[in-house]
Amino acid sequence: MKWKMISAAALFAGVALCSAFAAEGTHDSRIAIMKKVGGAAGALAGIAKGEKPYDAEVVKASLSTIAEMAKAFPAQFGAGSDMKDPEVNPKLWTNMDDFKAKAAKLQTDAETAMAAPPADPAAVGALLKSLGADCGACHQAYRIKKD
């Protein structure tokens, strides 16, 4: 249990440090948020695939991270942000309401799952598919994938 707490503390310290170096609304700040979401999704995937044992605390922490990052992400695209980011489809700025709605759906779905967390690896896998669809909807519409 101590290792989990130490690992979590190190992760949060690293996240805070990365956030301190990435100015809001820049490519780097956006990538930092996506890496946090990716790390949380990866922890859930490890449980769903049976690579890691089911751990309710890891599930809750991962869902919390996803919800918090989904809430914070739209602020990275405000007025004066980096509109020449090569990974962002320019139509995002003309479809901001849709973009915010997609982020809000991910946030709501993660928060709903936190209220009644999946109880086993199969349920974590089903939840991950749902959250992945939320992420995919936004990526499909607003992300330009670099080779």
Side-chain angles (χ1 to χ4, degrees):
M1 190 65 159
K2 277 187 175 182
W3 275 109
K4 286 182 189 176
M5 291 177 68
I6 291 169
S7 296
L11 175 67
F12 289 123
V15 165
L17 185 59
C18 288
S19 296
F21 290 114
E24 192 169 287
T26 66
H27 175 79
D28 290 344
S29 69
R30 295 168 186 157
I31 294 299
I33 287 176
M34 287 293 100
K35 284 185 178 188
K36 292 175 196 174
V37 172
L44 294 173
I47 292 170
K49 293 177 184 177
E51 297 167 353
K52 304 273 182 177
Y54 177 85
D55 184 327
E57 293 305 313
V58 170
V59 171
K60 288 178 190 175
S62 296
L63 292 171
S64 177
T65 297
I66 292 169
E68 289 171 18
M69 295 302 101
K71 181 179 181 181
F73 198 56
Q76 301 302 308
F77 298 88
S81 66
D82 182 5
M83 295 177 78
K84 294 184 186 204
D85 186 330
E87 291 186 36
V88 178
N89 188 322
K91 72 180 181 177
L92 179 143
W93 280 274
T94 58
N95 295 315
M96 189 57 71
D97 288 343
D98 179 62
F99 172 67
K100 287 180 179 179
K102 285 176 176 19
K105 182 169 181 351
L106 175 61
Q107 177 187 351
T108 299
D109 289 350
E111 288 172 345
T112 299
M114 283 172 41
D120 59 48
V124 171
L127 173 62
L128 196 53
K129 282 184 182 182
S130 174
L131 296 176
D134 291 345
C135 292
C138 194
H139 281 207
Q140 220 171 23
Y142 301 114
R143 180 175 181 223
I144 297 172
K145 185 154 179 143
K146 293 176 74 174
D147 293 328

